[in-house]
Amino acid sequence: MKYAVGWLFAGIVLFLGGWVGPVWALTLSVALRPNVTLLAESLVLGEVAEISYPDVYWEGELRRLDLGYVPAPGEARMIRPQEIFDRVAARRIPGLAFIHFSGAEYSRVVFAGEIIPWSAMSTMIEEELLRLFPFAQAVEIQPLGATEDLTVPPESTLQLFIPSGLKPWGRGTAHFTVSAAGGYEQRESVTFGLKVFRDTVRTIDHLRPGDVIGADQVQVLPEALSAGNDQGFASLNEVIGLEVRRAMRPGEVISPEKVQKETLIERGDLVTMVARNGLVTVTATGRARGNGSLGESIVVENPESRKRVQAQVIGERLVEVEIR
């Protein structure tokens, strides 16, 4: 009783100090809880005490009154009536004349949640991006906005989802879902700028239609992908020996629509036809009825009989006919 009366007197001092007129003398009741365990990284008055105030709006505001820092994991913080009194007085609540404290002498606050730092979350995002883009040599993300650590209940599970239709450049969104016992679920999303790095083949010299690409005419450069280079070849082995279809300037990205396999046979060429049957090989001369590159199938005509057959290009002006 002595404890409660002392703090009630402190409230009367507020009233006599001229905050409000005597007609609107209202009392705030604060019943301190002895022990409080926090799972979130915030501390408000409604968590450390049962409160009651005649004005419904301000009662809600007082429940959300910020009490400052949350103690570090493994540590405790003592919230005493004097601190609460000072913070409430600073708000200058309309009509408040008395503060009546009851319950515990102080509230002992501990933090039981777990903190997942942003660095760990960004690592999860980058690992998932490498799975989505298996061709990438590296990925780099830049959060678009302030980054915050994630506070979760003990023994939570954290799942990450990134939409599969994401392009390897521009911006993306990562969705985190926190699950814990008792049906607890929390969702957080992070928007980020994205760079995906991969080798890109570019020209060194001017290349003209009909040129066959040699090793000294191209180079590989590691680059961040964009709409201008993501369709380009990533390896020299993919382009050396290909024939240029469209003129290219030095430094230009080499992409599939600009090249083709070297034309070994052109329409109208006389070609050597090879037919094999076991150990027996027969050759004859034919005329190509279309262009062909290595491995492609073309039509070849016998000049004498005019009979046409399908043949596979196996070399320069050389085709193989399948015997059935």
Side-chain angles (χ1 to χ4, degrees):
M1 180 67 180
K2 184 176 181 180
Y3 164 67
V5 170
W7 284 102
L8 180 58
F9 174 77
I12 294 175
V13 172
L14 294 180
F15 172 69
L16 295 178
W19 277 20
V20 293
V23 177
W24 300 103
L26 303 180
T27 299
L28 168 65
S29 296
V30 180
L32 281 175
R33 299 185 178 97
N35 295 291
V36 175
T37 300
L38 297 178
L39 297 180
E41 203 173 2
S42 63
L43 178 58
V44 295
L45 179 57
E47 292 173 321
V48 303
E50 290 287 345
I51 68 171
S52 176
Y53 189 62
D55 186 311
V56 175
Y57 170 79
W58 281 106
E59 180 180 271
E61 290 296 300
L62 287 164
R63 291 183 193 279
R64 294 186 289 271
L65 180 66
D66 184 19
L67 296 182
Y69 73 94
V70 173
E75 299 180 2
R77 179 183 170 194
M78 309 307 172
I79 305 295
R80 302 182 185 278
Q82 180 65 57
E83 179 178 352
I84 295 174
F85 177 85
D86 291 341
R87 290 180 180 273
V88 171
R91 288 297 306 269
R92 304 185 69 85
I93 308 299
L96 175 61
F98 306 96
I99 302 178
H100 179 267
F101 288 91
S102 62
E105 183 178 353
Y106 58 82
S107 183
R108 183 178 184 273
V109 179
V110 295
F111 177 57
E114 298 177 3
I115 297 177
I116 302 176
W118 163 248
S119 59
M121 297 168 64
S122 64
T123 297
M124 289 180 64
I125 295 173
E126 290 172 354
E127 290 176 348
E128 179 64 12
L129 290 171
L130 287 171
R131 188 190 67 80
L132 290 175
F133 304 117
F135 55 82
Q137 295 171 322
V139 297
E140 180 181 298
I141 63 170
Q142 180 65 44
L144 302 178
T147 60
E148 296 183 359
D149 297 341
L150 187 61
T151 305
V152 301
E155 300 181 0
S156 299
T157 59
L158 181 64
Q159 294 181 316
L160 169 64
F161 171 72
I162 298 178
S164 58
L166 183 68
K167 291 183 178 180
W169 67 86
R171 60 189 293 165
T173 303
H175 305 280
F176 289 95
T177 300
V178 180
S179 302
Y184 176 90
E185 188 169 277
Q186 175 184 349
R187 298 177 185 273
E188 298 288 342
S189 297
V190 178
T191 303
F192 54 87
L194 171 63
K195 290 184 179 180
V196 175
F197 294 87
R198 189 205 66 185
D199 282 344
T200 300
V201 180
R202 291 183 179 269
T203 61
I204 296 175
D205 299 327
H206 283 283
L207 295 179
R208 297 172 177 78
D211 288 348
V212 176
I213 299 176
D216 60 342
Q217 296 174 305
V218 289
Q219 62 181 336
V220 172
L221 300 172
E223 300 179 2
L225 292 178
S226 66
N229 66 0
D230 79 305
Q231 296 299 317
F233 289 101
S235 168
L236 291 179
N237 292 334
E238 294 179 292
V239 301
I240 292 175
L242 294 182
E243 183 178 310
V244 176
R245 296 179 58 189
R246 199 172 77 196
M248 288 181 275
R249 301 182 303 275
E252 191 168 335
V253 174
I254 302 179
S255 50
E257 74 276 6
K258 300 175 184 178
V259 293
Q260 62 187 8
K261 290 183 179 180
E262 181 183 3
T263 302
L264 299 177
I265 297 173
E266 295 185 356
R267 178 182 177 85
D269 283 348
L270 288 176
V271 299
T272 298
M273 298 185 297
V274 178
R276 297 184 177 89
N277 187 1
L279 298 177
V280 179
T281 300
V282 178
T283 62
T285 299
R287 188 173 296 278
R289 307 312 300 173
N291 297 340
S293 300
L294 186 66
E296 293 182 341
S297 179
I298 64 171
V299 174
V300 179
E301 181 182 84
N302 185 315
E304 296 181 1
S305 65
R306 303 295 182 185
K307 182 179 179 180
R308 296 185 177 186
V309 295
Q310 287 290 136
Q312 185 180 37
V313 179
I314 59 174
E316 188 172 359
R317 297 193 180 186
L318 183 64
V319 299
E320 182 173 7
V321 179
E322 181 181 352
I323 298 178
R324 300 179 180 177

